[in-house]
Amino acid sequence: LAAYAGRIYGEGGMATYNFSKVTTMVVDDSSYMRRISRTILRSLGVAQVIEASDGAEALARLAAQPPDLIVCDLSMNPVDGVEFVRRLRRGSEAPQCLTPIIMMTAHAEPEAVCAARDAGTTEFLAKPVSPRSMADRIVRIIERPRPFIRTDGFFGPDRRRRDSPPGSPRRRAGDTPQAEVIEL
Amino acid sequence: MIAPLDDSSPNRAMVEVIQPPMDLARKTGVGRSIDPMALERAVADLGRMGEEYLDDTARDLALLKGLTAAANAADRPLAELYGRIRAVVHDMRGVGGSFGFVLAGQMADSLHRLLTLRPEDAPLPAVAAHIDSLRAPSPGG
């Protein structure tokens, strides 16, 4: 873990991530939280931070300003984080449906967190948010990408976080053995 | 574009595995690290925001005190007052912890949930107790 942390935060003179061409969308109905997220992202060097005050506004802005990364709050009105992710992933013809999403959650919201995971959230970030915790999630998305899975009831990043490639032995006897890998 | 499955194939897959284009990684580069100076800059910028937060929280607490007094006096519909209280604590619950006031954030979250899940059943003494306890661990409380 120490070696991993050292690698994330630049010990040993490693080259650093270049965020100068990255566009991020922050979706939060709290203007204060949007400001915190924007401040952290801009300080890390993210060039463009688009803001939306709820899921509906974010969906309306996605086509015109497609982001490379979305940072979203779980609890919003009128369109909350779960519904936003669900609608985004469901638009399966648009390239934005594959955009990585970091979902911010406040304290204990286990049922909502499960719903957000099943809607297609990429990573979770528990509040209180800090520059280090935000950077940690971004690095995980960059360095440990997961394939998207489409089944009858799910479309989103692989919910298994093990490093087992498609075609690995199944965990359940009833699992269907066939899978088709599509490179985009 | 996501390629559709071939429905006529005898080996038709039940699961599609899609390797998405990694636009983010292509732009940032991979196998690198976060610039430690950028991280320090982010911490410093948040620290400056924290100073403003002290003033804003003192104002929010005064507002909550006024709304509680109005609820006790029953001079406005409780649902309206609860809605305003909920709006104030909605911001406090997520923000407090980011500036080091973790307990305030947790108390704000508890009150927010009380006013979200069953607002019609939320007893005023419970709401007032939450607000009192919220004042204690907050700056300016």
Side-chain angles (χ1 to χ4, degrees):
Chain A
L1 272 178
Y4 182 64
R7 200 171 68 71
I8 291 176
Y9 299 111
E11 292 172 11
M14 289 181 70
T16 55
Y17 296 109
N18 178 6
F19 292 104
S20 66
K21 292 178 181 171
V22 171
T23 298
T24 302
M25 176 177 277
V26 174
V27 191
D28 201 313
D29 61 352
S30 161
S31 59
Y32 231 115
M33 275 310 300
R34 285 202 306 274
R35 202 172 147 209
I36 287 175
S37 297
R38 183 181 69 222
T39 298
I40 294 172
L41 291 165
R42 293 303 298 265
S43 299
L44 292 176
V46 171
Q48 189 177 11
V49 181
I50 303 161
E51 295 183 33
S53 59
D54 74 280
E57 185 186 347
L59 288 165
R61 300 185 68 174
L62 274 172
Q65 295 174 291
D68 304 300
L69 171 70
I70 297 171
V71 179
C72 176
D73 189 35
L74 183 60
S75 171
M76 296 185 290
N77 279 312
V79 177
D80 68 13
V82 175
E83 184 59 24
F84 166 67
V85 177
R86 201 173 280 145
R87 289 191 201 176
L88 178 72
R89 298 294 188 223
R90 208 180 284 158
S92 51
E93 293 306 312
Q96 288 87 353
C97 73
L98 300 168
T99 307
I101 300 170
I102 296 173
M103 184 71 75
M104 295 188 294
T105 64
H107 312 301
E109 297 172 314
E111 290 173 7
V113 167
C114 287
R117 181 201 62 186
D118 292 341
T121 294
T122 314
E123 293 289 342
F124 288 91
L125 176 56
K127 293 180 184 175
V129 175
S130 70
R132 188 167 281 242
S133 62
M134 177 86 80
D136 203 32
R137 297 308 181 282
I138 295 172
V139 169
R140 199 178 293 178
I141 288 171
I142 293 169
E143 299 292 344
R144 305 188 70 181
R146 284 176 287 146
F148 271 59
I149 304 294
R150 186 205 298 278
T151 65
D152 284 345
F154 175 74
F155 179 67
D158 192 343
R159 288 171 286 187
R160 299 168 304 170
R161 289 172 182 266
R162 295 179 182 178
D163 293 329
S164 51
S168 300
R170 304 287 149 169
R171 288 192 297 169
R172 293 181 295 270
D175 283 353
T176 309
Q178 300 97 343
E180 182 171 319
V181 179
I182 301 170
E183 299 284 348
L184 295 181
Chain B
M1 185 69 143
I2 297 168
L5 290 174
D6 178 6
D7 287 339
S8 64
S9 165
N11 295 320
R12 178 183 182 276
M14 302 300 290
V15 178
E16 281 181 66
V17 181
I18 300 158
Q19 301 292 354
M22 283 302 297
D23 292 340
L24 179 63
R26 197 162 45 238
K27 290 181 180 179
T28 61
V30 295
R32 301 184 180 190
S33 63
I34 294 286
D35 180 357
M37 290 181 67
L39 206 59
E40 282 177 25
R41 195 164 54 236
V43 171
D45 289 347
L46 267 195
R48 277 189 286 278
M49 273 189 75
E51 291 166 17
E52 291 175 39
Y53 174 75
L54 297 179
D55 295 337
D56 293 341
T57 301
R59 191 191 58 218
D60 286 345
L61 287 171
L63 178 58
L64 287 173
K65 188 178 177 183
L67 290 168
T68 309
N72 275 320
D75 59 359
R76 270 181 284 170
L78 206 54
E80 177 203 324
L81 294 166
Y82 277 1
R84 291 188 63 191
I85 292 171
R86 183 180 172 279
V88 174
V89 296
H90 175 80
D91 275 10
M92 294 177 83
R93 71 183 191 137
V95 173
S98 292
F99 299 122
F101 299 98
V102 176
L103 192 54
Q106 289 172 344
M107 288 178 173
D109 185 57
S110 174
L111 179 54
H112 185 266
R113 272 191 286 171
L114 177 67
L115 295 175
T116 301
L117 297 177
R118 304 187 64 158
E120 67 282 359
D121 295 335
L124 181 55
V127 173
H130 268 89
I131 290 173
D132 277 346
S133 60
L134 186 61
R135 293 170 60 82
S138 296

